[in-house]
Short mmCIF file of all heavy atoms in Angstrom, two decimals:
data_model
loop_
_atom_site.label_atom_id
_atom_site.label_comp_id
_atom_site.label_asym_id
_atom_site.label_seq_id
_atom_site.Cartn_x
_atom_site.Cartn_y
_atom_site.Cartn_z
N LEU A 306 -3.54 -7.28 7.35
CA LEU A 306 -2.65 -6.94 6.24
C LEU A 306 -3.18 -7.49 4.92
O LEU A 306 -3.12 -6.81 3.89
CB LEU A 306 -1.24 -7.46 6.51
CG LEU A 306 -0.42 -6.66 7.51
CD1 LEU A 306 0.87 -7.39 7.84
CD2 LEU A 306 -0.12 -5.27 6.99
N ILE A 307 -3.71 -8.69 4.94
CA ILE A 307 -4.30 -9.28 3.74
C ILE A 307 -5.50 -8.44 3.29
O ILE A 307 -5.68 -8.18 2.10
CB ILE A 307 -4.69 -10.75 3.98
CG1 ILE A 307 -3.41 -11.60 4.12
CG2 ILE A 307 -5.58 -11.29 2.88
CD1 ILE A 307 -3.64 -13.00 4.64
N LEU A 308 -6.29 -7.98 4.25
CA LEU A 308 -7.43 -7.12 3.93
C LEU A 308 -6.97 -5.83 3.26
O LEU A 308 -7.66 -5.29 2.38
CB LEU A 308 -8.22 -6.82 5.21
CG LEU A 308 -9.41 -5.89 5.06
CD1 LEU A 308 -10.45 -6.47 4.12
CD2 LEU A 308 -10.01 -5.61 6.43
N GLN A 309 -5.80 -5.33 3.64
CA GLN A 309 -5.29 -4.10 3.03
C GLN A 309 -5.07 -4.26 1.52
O GLN A 309 -5.23 -3.29 0.77
CB GLN A 309 -3.99 -3.66 3.72
CG GLN A 309 -4.15 -3.29 5.18
CD GLN A 309 -5.26 -2.29 5.43
OE1 GLN A 309 -5.21 -1.16 4.92
NE2 GLN A 309 -6.26 -2.70 6.17
N ALA A 310 -4.71 -5.44 1.10
CA ALA A 310 -4.55 -5.68 -0.35
C ALA A 310 -5.90 -5.51 -1.05
O ALA A 310 -5.96 -4.94 -2.15
CB ALA A 310 -3.98 -7.07 -0.60
N ASP A 311 -6.97 -5.96 -0.42
CA ASP A 311 -8.31 -5.78 -1.00
C ASP A 311 -8.71 -4.30 -1.00
O ASP A 311 -9.30 -3.81 -1.96
CB ASP A 311 -9.35 -6.59 -0.23
CG ASP A 311 -9.17 -8.09 -0.40
OD1 ASP A 311 -8.60 -8.51 -1.43
OD2 ASP A 311 -9.61 -8.84 0.48
N ILE A 312 -8.37 -3.61 0.08
CA ILE A 312 -8.68 -2.18 0.17
C ILE A 312 -7.89 -1.42 -0.90
O ILE A 312 -8.43 -0.51 -1.54
CB ILE A 312 -8.38 -1.65 1.59
CG1 ILE A 312 -9.37 -2.27 2.58
CG2 ILE A 312 -8.43 -0.13 1.63
CD1 ILE A 312 -9.04 -2.03 4.03
N PHE A 313 -6.64 -1.79 -1.11
CA PHE A 313 -5.84 -1.19 -2.18
C PHE A 313 -6.55 -1.36 -3.52
O PHE A 313 -6.70 -0.39 -4.28
CB PHE A 313 -4.45 -1.83 -2.22
CG PHE A 313 -3.66 -1.44 -3.44
CD1 PHE A 313 -2.92 -0.27 -3.45
CD2 PHE A 313 -3.67 -2.23 -4.59
CE1 PHE A 313 -2.20 0.10 -4.58
CE2 PHE A 313 -2.96 -1.86 -5.72
CZ PHE A 313 -2.22 -0.69 -5.72
N GLN A 314 -6.99 -2.58 -3.81
CA GLN A 314 -7.67 -2.85 -5.08
C GLN A 314 -8.94 -2.00 -5.23
O GLN A 314 -9.23 -1.48 -6.31
CB GLN A 314 -8.03 -4.34 -5.19
CG GLN A 314 -6.84 -5.24 -5.34
CD GLN A 314 -6.12 -5.06 -6.67
OE1 GLN A 314 -6.65 -4.53 -7.64
NE2 GLN A 314 -4.87 -5.48 -6.69
N HIS A 315 -9.68 -1.87 -4.14
CA HIS A 315 -10.91 -1.07 -4.14
C HIS A 315 -10.59 0.37 -4.55
O HIS A 315 -11.23 0.94 -5.44
CB HIS A 315 -11.57 -1.12 -2.76
CG HIS A 315 -12.65 -0.11 -2.57
ND1 HIS A 315 -13.91 -0.29 -3.08
CD2 HIS A 315 -12.65 1.09 -1.95
CE1 HIS A 315 -14.66 0.76 -2.78
NE2 HIS A 315 -13.91 1.61 -2.09
N HIS A 316 -9.60 0.98 -3.90
CA HIS A 316 -9.24 2.37 -4.21
C HIS A 316 -8.68 2.48 -5.63
O HIS A 316 -8.99 3.43 -6.34
CB HIS A 316 -8.21 2.90 -3.21
CG HIS A 316 -8.78 3.18 -1.86
ND1 HIS A 316 -9.85 4.03 -1.65
CD2 HIS A 316 -8.44 2.72 -0.63
CE1 HIS A 316 -10.13 4.08 -0.36
NE2 HIS A 316 -9.29 3.29 0.28
N ARG A 318 -9.35 0.61 -8.26
CA ARG A 318 -10.44 0.51 -9.25
C ARG A 318 -11.23 1.81 -9.36
O ARG A 318 -11.71 2.16 -10.43
CB ARG A 318 -11.39 -0.64 -8.88
CG ARG A 318 -10.90 -1.99 -9.32
CD ARG A 318 -11.99 -3.04 -9.20
NE ARG A 318 -12.47 -3.21 -7.85
CZ ARG A 318 -11.94 -4.01 -6.93
NH1 ARG A 318 -10.89 -4.74 -7.22
NH2 ARG A 318 -12.45 -4.10 -5.73
N THR A 328 -2.53 3.13 1.35
CA THR A 328 -2.87 1.80 1.86
C THR A 328 -1.69 0.86 1.71
O THR A 328 -1.32 0.14 2.63
CB THR A 328 -4.10 1.24 1.13
OG1 THR A 328 -5.21 2.13 1.34
CG2 THR A 328 -4.47 -0.14 1.63
N MET A 362 0.05 -10.06 -3.44
CA MET A 362 -1.35 -9.64 -3.43
C MET A 362 -1.48 -8.16 -3.79
O MET A 362 -2.51 -7.75 -4.31
CB MET A 362 -1.94 -9.90 -2.05
CG MET A 362 -1.97 -11.38 -1.68
SD MET A 362 -2.54 -11.66 0.00
CE MET A 362 -4.31 -11.73 -0.33
N PHE A 363 -0.44 -7.38 -3.50
CA PHE A 363 -0.38 -6.00 -3.97
C PHE A 363 0.29 -6.05 -5.34
O PHE A 363 1.50 -6.21 -5.44
CB PHE A 363 0.45 -5.13 -3.01
CG PHE A 363 -0.24 -4.78 -1.74
CD1 PHE A 363 -0.06 -5.55 -0.61
CD2 PHE A 363 -1.06 -3.67 -1.66
CE1 PHE A 363 -0.67 -5.23 0.58
CE2 PHE A 363 -1.68 -3.33 -0.48
CZ PHE A 363 -1.50 -4.12 0.64
#
Side-chain angles (χ1 to χ4, degrees):
L306 284 171
I307 290 168
L308 177 62
Q309 296 308 299
D311 292 335
I312 293 170
F313 170 85
Q314 291 293 341
H315 167 79
H316 287 303
R318 278 192 299 274
T328 300
M362 297 175 87
F363 285 94

